[in-house]
């Protein structure tokens, strides 16, 4: 398993944890606009963090 794949999996794990926490926060907020922004932020991180991890991990690992 290459460093890029490991970085993508770590990014996916971090993004999934962050999505769960942002959803918990969105449940406590009263304004619907804020709820929408928190949910969109979590979903965008679910896409972006694995991509960033895929490209950054080989740089850190020296591959």
């Amino acid at each position: 398993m290459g460093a890029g794949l490991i970085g993508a999996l770590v990014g996916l794990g971090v993004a999934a944890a962050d999505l769960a926490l942002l959803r918990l926060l969105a449940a406590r907020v009263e304004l619907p606009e804020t709820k929408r922004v928190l949910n969109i932020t979590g979903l965008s991180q679910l896409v972006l963090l694995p991509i960033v991890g895929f490209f950054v991990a080989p740089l850190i690992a020296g591959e």
Side-chain angles (χ1 to χ4, degrees):
M1 188 180 314
L5 185 58
I6 292 172
L9 290 174
V10 169
L12 183 63
V14 170
D18 193 38
L19 176 65
L21 291 174
L22 286 173
R23 294 241 173 164
L24 285 173
L25 182 61
R28 298 185 61 149
V29 174
E30 294 179 8
L31 295 174
E33 296 88 8
T34 306
K35 288 182 183 187
R36 187 175 59 237
V37 167
L38 288 171
N39 286 325
I40 291 171
T41 301
L43 291 174
S44 67
Q45 286 183 4
L46 194 61
V47 173
L48 293 176
L49 285 180
I51 294 171
V52 170
F54 181 77
F55 289 111
V56 171
L59 296 174
I60 293 172
E63 289 185 7

